[in-house]
Amino acid sequence: MSSEVIVVRIYIHEAEQGRRTNLQQEILTLLHDQQRVKGVTVFRGIAGFGAGGAVHAADLLRLTVDLPIVIEFYDDVEVAQAAMKLLNGLVPAGHVVWWRANCSDLSQEPPTA
């Protein structure tokens, strides 16, 4: 059995501040407490840069670490869309990507082409 879901990926950096606290924590709280999404994974990058071109990297020469963070979650279409509405205004414009996917039970036979 397969169901349609939306996968959402949010790009921020460690030191980014939200309305009240660290932006990463505000996003996790929103997704956990308010939307109760199926699950969230946070990836911490070792290097990256955004539109401004400033490179954020983990190396011994940098005293402060402000690494890229990717927050990813998926859920049923309605839940994911509601979560994205709540993220609007909290996450900087252009930092959220999403796509539709199929979530299937691997014990079932995959569909044939």
Side-chain angles (χ1 to χ4, degrees):
M1 173 133 160
S2 178
S3 63
E4 186 175 48
V5 297
I6 292 181
V7 180
V8 180
R9 190 174 287 169
I10 304 162
Y11 294 89
I12 60 173
H13 54 90
E14 282 182 308
E16 204 160 345
Q17 290 298 306
R19 295 177 184 137
R20 293 176 299 279
T21 62
N22 176 279
L23 183 56
Q24 175 189 326
Q25 189 56 49
E26 285 191 24
I27 293 169
L28 289 175
T29 299
L30 181 146
L31 295 174
H32 182 268
D33 296 348
Q34 292 182 34
Q35 283 308 122
R36 304 221 181 274
V37 298
K38 290 182 179 179
V40 177
T41 302
V42 178
F43 301 94
R44 184 179 191 216
I46 59 170
F49 64 89
V55 175
H56 301 267
D59 60 41
L60 296 175
L61 300 177
R62 298 178 196 269
L63 297 176
T64 59
V65 179
D66 184 17
L67 296 175
I69 299 285
V70 176
I71 301 171
E72 186 171 290
F73 71 93
Y74 77 94
D75 211 316
D76 299 326
V77 173
E78 299 79 20
V79 175
Q81 287 175 336
M84 286 190 289
K85 284 182 183 176
L86 291 174
L87 292 169
N88 189 25
L90 180 63
V91 177
H95 288 236
V96 177
V97 296
W98 64 272
W99 59 94
R100 291 180 184 268
N102 289 314
C103 184
S104 63
D105 180 353
L106 293 179
S107 66
Q108 304 292 321
E109 289 292 321
T112 58

